[in-house]
Amino acid sequence: SAGTAALPTQWGITAQMIQPLGDAQEGFRGFLWFARFDREAVWKNDYQEFMTILNHSIIEIDRKLMVEKAITYQANYDGITGLMNRAYFTDRLNQAVSANLDIAVIFIDVDGFKTINDTFGHDVGDQILMVIGQRITNVLDKADFSARFGGDEFAVMVHQRRGLTSTIDKIQQEFLEPIRLNSRKLFLTLSIGIALAPEDGERAEELMKHADLAMYHAKENGKNKAVFCSSELKAAQNREMALSNDLYQAIEQGQLSLHYQPQVDGRTGEIVGLEALARWYHPQLGMVSPGIFIPIAEKNGLINELGDWVLREACRQNKAWEMMGLGPMRISVNFSMVQFMAAGIVPRISAVIQEFDLKPKTLVVEITESINVYDFTQIDQTVQDLKKLGVAISIDDFGTEYSSLDRLKNLPVDEIKIDKRFIDGLPKDVSSIGIIRAIIALAEIFDLELVAEGVETEEQLEFLLAAGCRVIQGYYFYPPLSAEAVGDLLRTIHEQRTV
Ligand code: C2E
Ligand code: CA
Ligand code: CA
C-alpha cells in the first residue's frame, strides 16, 4: 500500500507515493516510487491507479523473465551437478573449435558407478556425482569448461597449450582422496579418453565421438587410466563398423556355419557331447572369430536372430545325425546373455525342440553370467522355466565373472565349465590349481557335471583326471570340427563298436 515518509526537502519533492514490488509470498523485489516536484501536493485517484497497474505489469514481466531464465537453465545445465549438459557443451565446444583449434576434449567415466548406485541408492549416488563434478571443475582453468552427460559420464574442454597433461594429472590426483560418505570412505577411479583438435576432429561431434572411443578403450583395458585417441583406435572402430554392417547379410547369404567340438570322457576317450561354435566365413576377410562377431552382434542387436539361427541349425544337425543312426548326441549351444534375457526365449527354445522332435535333455544351454547383468530375478526365472522344459543348463567360463556360490545354490544348474584360463595354469600355477580344486569341490557338493575347457596337454589331462574332473574339451582330443568331420568321426566310432 502507498505510504508516506519524511520528504527529502533538499530535492524539492512536494509529494511522494511508494508501493512495494512483489510480496513476501512471491518474493519482495523492491519499491515503486512516485515523486512530485510541483506545488500541487496531492495525488489524484488516476495516479494511484496508474501506479498499481504499473506495479502489476512490472511484476508480470519480471515473473516471465524468471521463468525464461529457469527454462534456459534447465535446457543447458544438469540439475544434479550444475554443470553444462550434453547439448550445451556441444554448442560451446563448436564455438570454441571454430574460434581456435588449440583444443582437447576429455571424456571421463567413473569406474563401477553402477555398483555405488545399487549399494547406496540414487540419492547418495546423486550426492557423489555432485562431488565428482566439483572435483573435476576445481582443477580447470577459467577458459575451460566441464559438463555432465547424464549417468556417470563427464566431459571437459581444455586448451591444449595451457597444459593438457597437467590437467589430466590434476583430475586423477583429485580422486586419490576418498569421497567421504558419513563415516565411510569411498575411493573412486576414472577411465579417461582424450581427443585432440584437429587430428581427431574439427567439429564437436567428431571430437566427442573420438574422446568417447578412447575412453571406452581405457575401460576395456582395465579402467583407471587415461587413453589418447589414436589412428589405430580409429581404424579398429572403422573395421568394427564395417563388420557390423556386413553381419546383417551374413545369415541370409549363408556365410554362417557351425563347428562342433567334442567333449570327451578323459578316461575312456568316449565322446559324451558336442559344443556348437559359430563360424563366419566373410567373403573378403575369410574366417572371422566368434570372439569378434558375437560382441558386435550383441551391440547391433543381431544377436537374437543369429542366436536363433545357431539353435535351429544345431538342433537340425543333431536330428540329422540321429536319423543316420549316429545319435542322439548331447549338444551344447552358447547363449549370449542379451539373447537369454530377451522376451520369449523359453517358448522359442521349446518350439525348436518340438520342430525337430528332439529329447529336451539332449540340448545343453550354455550361459555366461556377467557382472554387467543386474536382473538376476529374470535370469533365475528363465533358468527355472527351461528346467521345466527338460533342457540342461551349463554355466560357461565358471569362476571368471559373477558366478557366485550363493546363486549356484539356488539355481537348478546341471553343469559348470572350468574356464581355459585356469587350465592354462596347469600343472604348475598355484593359484590356478587352487581355483580348479575349489571348483571341483563345488561341483561335488552341488552334484553338478563338470567340463574342463581348453585342455591342450597330457599333463593338464592327467592333473584333471587325478583331481576328479572327467569330461574334457580341448585341442588335446579334438579341435572344433565341421559337421561333416564330426559325422565321419561318429560313424567310425559307431562302426568300431558294432564290429
Ligand atoms: P566358449 O564358449 O568359451 O568356447 C570355447 C572356445 O575355446 C572356442 O573358441 C573353442 O574353439 C576354444 N577352444 C576349445 N578348446 C581349445 C583349446 O584346447 N585351446 C584353445 N586355445 N582354444 C580352445 P571359439 O570357437 O573361437 O569361440 C569363442 C567364443 O565365442 C566362445 O567361447 C563363445 O563365448 C562365443 N561363441 C561361439 N559360438 C557362439 C554362439 O553360437 N553363440 C554365442 N552367443 N556365442 C558363441
Ligand atoms: Ca561355451
Ligand atoms: Ca568357455
PDB file of all heavy atoms in Angstrom, residues 321-343:
ATOM      1  N   TRP A 321      21.976 -86.338 -37.581  1.00  0.00           N
ATOM      2  CA  TRP A 321      22.869 -87.410 -37.113  1.00  0.00           C
ATOM      3  C   TRP A 321      22.060 -88.565 -36.526  1.00  0.00           C
ATOM      4  O   TRP A 321      22.370 -89.725 -36.738  1.00  0.00           O
ATOM      5  CB  TRP A 321      23.851 -86.870 -36.061  1.00  0.00           C
ATOM      6  CG  TRP A 321      24.984 -86.070 -36.665  1.00  0.00           C
ATOM      7  CD1 TRP A 321      25.591 -86.296 -37.861  1.00  0.00           C
ATOM      8  CD2 TRP A 321      25.621 -84.911 -36.100  1.00  0.00           C
ATOM      9  NE1 TRP A 321      26.583 -85.364 -38.079  1.00  0.00           N
ATOM     10  CE2 TRP A 321      26.626 -84.507 -37.018  1.00  0.00           C
ATOM     11  CE3 TRP A 321      25.457 -84.180 -34.910  1.00  0.00           C
ATOM     12  CZ2 TRP A 321      27.459 -83.403 -36.767  1.00  0.00           C
ATOM     13  CZ3 TRP A 321      26.283 -83.100 -34.675  1.00  0.00           C
ATOM     14  CH2 TRP A 321      27.267 -82.705 -35.606  1.00  0.00           C
ATOM     15  N   GLU A 322      21.019 -88.193 -35.794  1.00  0.00           N
ATOM     16  CA  GLU A 322      20.187 -89.226 -35.170  1.00  0.00           C
ATOM     17  C   GLU A 322      19.571 -90.121 -36.254  1.00  0.00           C
ATOM     18  O   GLU A 322      19.560 -91.350 -36.135  1.00  0.00           O
ATOM     19  CB  GLU A 322      19.098 -88.572 -34.317  1.00  0.00           C
ATOM     20  CG  GLU A 322      18.392 -89.552 -33.388  1.00  0.00           C
ATOM     21  CD  GLU A 322      17.239 -88.897 -32.636  1.00  0.00           C
ATOM     22  OE1 GLU A 322      17.376 -87.717 -32.229  1.00  0.00           O
ATOM     23  OE2 GLU A 322      16.209 -89.564 -32.462  1.00  0.00           O
ATOM     24  N   MET A 323      19.079 -89.473 -37.359  1.00  0.00           N
ATOM     25  CA  MET A 323      18.474 -90.231 -38.460  1.00  0.00           C
ATOM     26  C   MET A 323      19.496 -91.141 -39.126  1.00  0.00           C
ATOM     27  O   MET A 323      19.151 -92.183 -39.679  1.00  0.00           O
ATOM     28  CB  MET A 323      17.901 -89.278 -39.518  1.00  0.00           C
ATOM     29  CG  MET A 323      16.949 -88.244 -38.959  1.00  0.00           C
ATOM     30  SD  MET A 323      15.320 -88.900 -38.630  1.00  0.00           S
ATOM     31  CE  MET A 323      14.593 -88.531 -40.212  1.00  0.00           C
ATOM     32  N   MET A 324      20.774 -90.730 -39.092  1.00  0.00           N
ATOM     33  CA  MET A 324      21.814 -91.580 -39.693  1.00  0.00           C
ATOM     34  C   MET A 324      22.247 -92.677 -38.732  1.00  0.00           C
ATOM     35  O   MET A 324      23.218 -93.387 -38.998  1.00  0.00           O
ATOM     36  CB  MET A 324      23.052 -90.734 -40.026  1.00  0.00           C
ATOM     37  CG  MET A 324      22.862 -89.718 -41.119  1.00  0.00           C
ATOM     38  SD  MET A 324      24.437 -88.810 -41.280  1.00  0.00           S
ATOM     39  CE  MET A 324      23.867 -87.199 -41.671  1.00  0.00           C
ATOM     40  N   GLY A 325      21.579 -92.738 -37.600  1.00  0.00           N
ATOM     41  CA  GLY A 325      21.936 -93.769 -36.633  1.00  0.00           C
ATOM     42  C   GLY A 325      23.149 -93.404 -35.793  1.00  0.00           C
ATOM     43  O   GLY A 325      23.796 -94.253 -35.186  1.00  0.00           O
ATOM     44  N   LEU A 326      23.486 -92.096 -35.761  1.00  0.00           N
ATOM     45  CA  LEU A 326      24.677 -91.678 -35.016  1.00  0.00           C
ATOM     46  C   LEU A 326      24.316 -90.956 -33.715  1.00  0.00           C
ATOM     47  O   LEU A 326      25.165 -90.408 -33.051  1.00  0.00           O
ATOM     48  CB  LEU A 326      25.532 -90.747 -35.884  1.00  0.00           C
ATOM     49  CG  LEU A 326      25.978 -91.345 -37.226  1.00  0.00           C
ATOM     50  CD1 LEU A 326      26.653 -90.282 -38.084  1.00  0.00           C
ATOM     51  CD2 LEU A 326      26.936 -92.515 -36.981  1.00  0.00           C
ATOM     52  N   GLY A 327      23.076 -90.956 -33.383  1.00  0.00           N
ATOM     53  CA  GLY A 327      22.680 -90.173 -32.196  1.00  0.00           C
ATOM     54  C   GLY A 327      21.942 -91.028 -31.217  1.00  0.00           C
ATOM     55  O   GLY A 327      22.002 -92.247 -31.337  1.00  0.00           O
ATOM     56  N   PRO A 328      21.191 -90.388 -30.312  1.00  0.00           N
ATOM     57  CA  PRO A 328      21.159 -88.932 -30.152  1.00  0.00           C
ATOM     58  C   PRO A 328      22.377 -88.418 -29.386  1.00  0.00           C
ATOM     59  O   PRO A 328      22.839 -89.085 -28.469  1.00  0.00           O
ATOM     60  CB  PRO A 328      19.885 -88.707 -29.335  1.00  0.00           C
ATOM     61  CG  PRO A 328      19.677 -89.982 -28.582  1.00  0.00           C
ATOM     62  CD  PRO A 328      20.281 -91.072 -29.402  1.00  0.00           C
ATOM     63  N   MET A 329      22.895 -87.267 -29.821  1.00  0.00           N
ATOM     64  CA  MET A 329      24.039 -86.658 -29.159  1.00  0.00           C
ATOM     65  C   MET A 329      23.552 -85.590 -28.191  1.00  0.00           C
ATOM     66  O   MET A 329      22.453 -85.074 -28.306  1.00  0.00           O
ATOM     67  CB  MET A 329      24.944 -85.983 -30.201  1.00  0.00           C
ATOM     68  CG  MET A 329      25.794 -86.949 -31.002  1.00  0.00           C
ATOM     69  SD  MET A 329      26.859 -87.964 -29.964  1.00  0.00           S
ATOM     70  CE  MET A 329      27.883 -86.735 -29.208  1.00  0.00           C
ATOM     71  N   ARG A 330      24.437 -85.267 -27.278  1.00  0.00           N
ATOM     72  CA  ARG A 330      24.162 -84.159 -26.363  1.00  0.00           C
ATOM     73  C   ARG A 330      24.880 -82.945 -26.966  1.00  0.00           C
ATOM     74  O   ARG A 330      26.094 -82.979 -27.167  1.00  0.00           O
ATOM     75  CB  ARG A 330      24.759 -84.548 -25.017  1.00  0.00           C
ATOM     76  CG  ARG A 330      24.337 -83.755 -23.843  1.00  0.00           C
ATOM     77  CD  ARG A 330      24.904 -84.467 -22.594  1.00  0.00           C
ATOM     78  NE  ARG A 330      24.817 -83.614 -21.433  1.00  0.00           N
ATOM     79  CZ  ARG A 330      25.787 -82.801 -21.048  1.00  0.00           C
ATOM     80  NH1 ARG A 330      26.906 -82.729 -21.730  1.00  0.00           N
ATOM     81  NH2 ARG A 330      25.633 -82.050 -19.970  1.00  0.00           N
ATOM     82  N   ILE A 331      24.124 -81.905 -27.337  1.00  0.00           N
ATOM     83  CA  ILE A 331      24.755 -80.744 -27.967  1.00  0.00           C
ATOM     84  C   ILE A 331      24.595 -79.491 -27.113  1.00  0.00           C
ATOM     85  O   ILE A 331      23.489 -79.143 -26.694  1.00  0.00           O
ATOM     86  CB  ILE A 331      24.187 -80.487 -29.384  1.00  0.00           C
ATOM     87  CG1 ILE A 331      24.595 -81.641 -30.299  1.00  0.00           C
ATOM     88  CG2 ILE A 331      24.716 -79.166 -29.942  1.00  0.00           C
ATOM     89  CD1 ILE A 331      24.414 -81.367 -31.769  1.00  0.00           C
ATOM     90  N   SER A 332      25.738 -78.849 -26.840  1.00  0.00           N
ATOM     91  CA  SER A 332      25.721 -77.600 -26.077  1.00  0.00           C
ATOM     92  C   SER A 332      25.663 -76.426 -27.029  1.00  0.00           C
ATOM     93  O   SER A 332      26.405 -76.384 -28.008  1.00  0.00           O
ATOM     94  CB  SER A 332      26.987 -77.480 -25.225  1.00  0.00           C
ATOM     95  OG  SER A 332      27.095 -78.582 -24.355  1.00  0.00           O
ATOM     96  N   VAL A 333      24.757 -75.503 -26.749  1.00  0.00           N
ATOM     97  CA  VAL A 333      24.623 -74.294 -27.574  1.00  0.00           C
ATOM     98  C   VAL A 333      24.866 -73.072 -26.689  1.00  0.00           C
ATOM     99  O   VAL A 333      24.343 -72.988 -25.578  1.00  0.00           O
ATOM    100  CB  VAL A 333      23.221 -74.226 -28.214  1.00  0.00           C
ATOM    101  CG1 VAL A 333      23.033 -72.918 -28.969  1.00  0.00           C
ATOM    102  CG2 VAL A 333      23.001 -75.415 -29.145  1.00  0.00           C
ATOM    103  N   ASN A 334      25.712 -72.163 -27.176  1.00  0.00           N
ATOM    104  CA  ASN A 334      26.008 -70.940 -26.417  1.00  0.00           C
ATOM    105  C   ASN A 334      24.887 -69.918 -26.566  1.00  0.00           C
ATOM    106  O   ASN A 334      24.428 -69.653 -27.676  1.00  0.00           O
ATOM    107  CB  ASN A 334      27.308 -70.307 -26.912  1.00  0.00           C
ATOM    108  CG  ASN A 334      28.512 -71.160 -26.562  1.00  0.00           C
ATOM    109  OD1 ASN A 334      28.932 -71.214 -25.410  1.00  0.00           O
ATOM    110  ND2 ASN A 334      29.041 -71.852 -27.562  1.00  0.00           N
ATOM    111  N   PHE A 335      24.476 -69.352 -25.456  1.00  0.00           N
ATOM    112  CA  PHE A 335      23.507 -68.257 -25.478  1.00  0.00           C
ATOM    113  C   PHE A 335      24.154 -67.022 -24.882  1.00  0.00           C
ATOM    114  O   PHE A 335      24.657 -67.067 -23.769  1.00  0.00           O
ATOM    115  CB  PHE A 335      22.252 -68.625 -24.672  1.00  0.00           C
ATOM    116  CG  PHE A 335      21.332 -69.543 -25.418  1.00  0.00           C
ATOM    117  CD1 PHE A 335      21.642 -70.887 -25.567  1.00  0.00           C
ATOM    118  CD2 PHE A 335      20.164 -69.059 -25.978  1.00  0.00           C
ATOM    119  CE1 PHE A 335      20.804 -71.739 -26.271  1.00  0.00           C
ATOM    120  CE2 PHE A 335      19.320 -69.898 -26.675  1.00  0.00           C
ATOM    121  CZ  PHE A 335      19.634 -71.238 -26.826  1.00  0.00           C
ATOM    122  N   SER A 336      24.127 -65.974 -25.657  1.00  0.00           N
ATOM    123  CA  SER A 336      24.599 -64.701 -25.125  1.00  0.00           C
ATOM    124  C   SER A 336      23.590 -64.217 -24.080  1.00  0.00           C
ATOM    125  O   SER A 336      22.398 -64.482 -24.196  1.00  0.00           O
ATOM    126  CB  SER A 336      24.715 -63.709 -26.275  1.00  0.00           C
ATOM    127  OG  SER A 336      24.442 -62.420 -25.832  1.00  0.00           O
ATOM    128  N   MET A 337      24.067 -63.521 -23.058  1.00  0.00           N
ATOM    129  CA  MET A 337      23.154 -63.027 -22.012  1.00  0.00           C
ATOM    130  C   MET A 337      22.075 -62.118 -22.598  1.00  0.00           C
ATOM    131  O   MET A 337      20.926 -62.134 -22.168  1.00  0.00           O
ATOM    132  CB  MET A 337      23.934 -62.255 -20.947  1.00  0.00           C
ATOM    133  CG  MET A 337      24.024 -62.978 -19.628  1.00  0.00           C
ATOM    134  SD  MET A 337      22.425 -63.553 -19.022  1.00  0.00           S
ATOM    135  CE  MET A 337      22.913 -65.117 -18.348  1.00  0.00           C
ATOM    136  N   VAL A 338      22.464 -61.322 -23.589  1.00  0.00           N
ATOM    137  CA  VAL A 338      21.490 -60.427 -24.233  1.00  0.00           C
ATOM    138  C   VAL A 338      20.329 -61.254 -24.797  1.00  0.00           C
ATOM    139  O   VAL A 338      19.156 -60.911 -24.642  1.00  0.00           O
ATOM    140  CB  VAL A 338      22.155 -59.635 -25.380  1.00  0.00           C
ATOM    141  CG1 VAL A 338      21.162 -58.691 -26.026  1.00  0.00           C
ATOM    142  CG2 VAL A 338      23.381 -58.893 -24.890  1.00  0.00           C
ATOM    143  N   GLN A 339      20.695 -62.359 -25.432  1.00  0.00           N
ATOM    144  CA  GLN A 339      19.716 -63.233 -26.055  1.00  0.00           C
ATOM    145  C   GLN A 339      18.915 -63.980 -24.986  1.00  0.00           C
ATOM    146  O   GLN A 339      17.694 -64.148 -25.109  1.00  0.00           O
ATOM    147  CB  GLN A 339      20.506 -64.218 -26.927  1.00  0.00           C
ATOM    148  CG  GLN A 339      19.734 -65.207 -27.717  1.00  0.00           C
ATOM    149  CD  GLN A 339      20.651 -66.318 -28.242  1.00  0.00           C
ATOM    150  OE1 GLN A 339      21.874 -66.298 -28.011  1.00  0.00           O
ATOM    151  NE2 GLN A 339      20.077 -67.269 -28.921  1.00  0.00           N
ATOM    152  N   PHE A 340      19.614 -64.400 -23.943  1.00  0.00           N
ATOM    153  CA  PHE A 340      18.984 -65.172 -22.876  1.00  0.00           C
ATOM    154  C   PHE A 340      17.943 -64.331 -22.128  1.00  0.00           C
ATOM    155  O   PHE A 340      16.942 -64.845 -21.645  1.00  0.00           O
ATOM    156  CB  PHE A 340      20.054 -65.658 -21.898  1.00  0.00           C
ATOM    157  CG  PHE A 340      19.603 -66.751 -20.982  1.00  0.00           C
ATOM    158  CD1 PHE A 340      19.427 -68.043 -21.465  1.00  0.00           C
ATOM    159  CD2 PHE A 340      19.363 -66.505 -19.644  1.00  0.00           C
ATOM    160  CE1 PHE A 340      19.014 -69.063 -20.623  1.00  0.00           C
ATOM    161  CE2 PHE A 340      18.949 -67.517 -18.793  1.00  0.00           C
ATOM    162  CZ  PHE A 340      18.781 -68.798 -19.292  1.00  0.00           C
ATOM    163  N   MET A 341      18.196 -63.021 -22.057  1.00  0.00           N
ATOM    164  CA  MET A 341      17.295 -62.120 -21.336  1.00  0.00           C
ATOM    165  C   MET A 341      16.167 -61.620 -22.232  1.00  0.00           C
ATOM    166  O   MET A 341      15.257 -60.947 -21.752  1.00  0.00           O
ATOM    167  CB  MET A 341      18.061 -60.894 -20.822  1.00  0.00           C
ATOM    168  CG  MET A 341      19.265 -61.223 -19.981  1.00  0.00           C
ATOM    169  SD  MET A 341      18.913 -61.181 -18.230  1.00  0.00           S
ATOM    170  CE  MET A 341      18.675 -59.439 -17.993  1.00  0.00           C
ATOM    171  N   ALA A 342      16.224 -61.907 -23.522  1.00  0.00           N
ATOM    172  CA  ALA A 342      15.194 -61.393 -24.428  1.00  0.00           C
ATOM    173  C   ALA A 342      13.858 -62.077 -24.153  1.00  0.00           C
ATOM    174  O   ALA A 342      13.812 -63.233 -23.741  1.00  0.00           O
ATOM    175  CB  ALA A 342      15.616 -61.616 -25.873  1.00  0.00           C
ATOM    176  N   ALA A 343      12.783 -61.331 -24.384  1.00  0.00           N
ATOM    177  CA  ALA A 343      11.446 -61.869 -24.127  1.00  0.00           C
ATOM    178  C   ALA A 343      11.179 -63.070 -25.025  1.00  0.00           C
ATOM    179  O   ALA A 343      11.617 -63.106 -26.170  1.00  0.00           O
ATOM    180  CB  ALA A 343      10.399 -60.783 -24.372  1.00  0.00           C
TER     181      ALA A 343
END
